[in-house]
Structure formats: C-alpha cells, structure tokens
Amino acid sequence: MDQPLRLCFVCLGNICRSPTAEAIMRHRLRERGLADRVVVESAGTSDWHVGDAADRRAAEEARGRGITMDGCARQFTPADFARYDLVLAMDHSNRADLLAIAPGEEAAARVRLLREFDPAAADAGDLAVPDPYFGGPDGFVHVFDLVDAACQGLIDHLEARLSRSG
C-alpha cells in the first residue's frame, strides 16, 4: 500500500478549532473506510497552550455528537512542513502565520484554508472558521458545524486524490 496522506489542521492555540477538525476528520474517515489511508493531526501557530488538553467546551460539543477528542496542544514549526502533505489553516491569520514560517515555495503550496473544501463556503467567499474561545457555547456549536461540512468536502477531495494514486 502507498504511504498514507498526512494532514495537519492548524489554528492559533490548538485547543478549539484545530483539535475539533482533527477529531471530526478522524471520525468521518473511519465512517468512509479511509482511516488507514489518511493520518490526521493538529497544531497551533502559537505556543500559548502547548501541553494543554482541548478546550472543555469543544470537547463537550464533540462528545455530544459521538466524537472523541483527545491529545494535547502543540506548536507547528517550520520542520513540520516536511511531515505533511496538506496543512489546513482555520482562518486567514493562521494561514499568514504558516506562510511566514514556510521553508520554501513547495511547503507554502501545501497550506490551504480548511473551508476551501466546503463548496457552500467557497461559493459565499466565507472561508474562515471563527475562533470561539472568547464566546459562549453557541460558538462551539457553530464551529463544529462549519468544520464538519468542510471535512466532508475535504474527504471528497482526498478520495479523488487517493483513487488517482491507486
């Protein structure tokens, strides 16, 4: 079997949006029988929460939907570009931070906004996943829905890529 595709979801602190995306993506990949073909991780552009578990509100939203969120926050580094086929930023600021540390054009070309893979978001030009950290629980519900839709579109994209590669 070919090497699995390696994805990293990236937000600011790696405690809300990116671990939500990581957990949703793992869950959806298992549902679609692709868990062995795609490796999923997450990280943050900052070091503020390194070693912390996911935000309690994000974990509760995931758990309420039957999805387990585990792991702890880590910071994305320039060396990480060599580990991933696709680096998925949650918003334009995260994307800019990633591009600023990319070690070259090839690495920079792997950086995309997650919501580019949600056709409705792409059509509306609304590609950012808002940071729910300073808001209430409704923000985490909204983020979960946005990320889930984008992950479904991303899996469609990956299925096409995987079928071309055998």
Side-chain angles (χ1 to χ4, degrees):
M1 183 172 101
D2 292 329
Q3 291 280 32
L5 289 174
R6 296 186 59 87
L7 312 179
C8 188
F9 296 97
V10 181
C11 68
L12 181 62
N14 193 214
I15 60 168
C16 297
R17 296 171 290 169
S18 57
T20 295
E22 177 184 359
I24 290 170
M25 191 66 171
R26 279 199 182 125
H27 181 82
R28 298 295 180 215
L29 287 165
R30 278 193 303 274
E31 287 180 338
R32 301 221 349 220
L34 296 170
D36 61 334
R37 306 217 36 215
V38 183
V39 174
V40 181
E41 297 177 6
S42 66
T45 58
S46 79
D47 64 357
W48 298 341
H49 297 286
V50 169
D52 293 350
D55 185 286
R56 172 190 51 80
R57 299 163 294 176
E60 286 174 2
E61 184 60 31
R63 192 170 30 259
R65 297 188 193 213
I67 295 177
T68 302
M69 189 180 297
D70 52 17
C72 61
R74 71 175 191 86
Q75 185 175 18
F76 193 92
T77 68
D80 285 325
F81 281 101
R83 297 180 51 216
Y84 300 108
D85 300 296
L86 197 54
V87 179
L88 298 139
M90 295 298 120
D91 64 28
H92 298 282
S93 177
N94 304 145
R95 182 177 180 275
D97 290 343
L98 289 164
L99 293 175
I101 65 166
E105 288 181 25
E106 185 181 323
R110 291 187 214 125
V111 178
R112 302 277 299 271
L113 289 166
L114 172 60
R115 291 193 70 208
E116 290 177 35
F117 295 95
D118 176 353
D123 289 347
D126 182 15
L127 299 180
V129 177
D131 190 344
Y133 186 75
F134 292 106
D138 289 350
F140 289 86
V141 172
H142 181 61
V143 162
F144 195 100
D145 292 339
L146 294 177
V147 169
D148 195 20
C151 284
Q152 298 278 7
L154 177 57
I155 292 172
D156 292 341
H157 170 81
L158 295 176
E159 277 185 318
R161 184 171 169 176
L162 289 166
S163 68
R164 285 192 305 271
S165 69

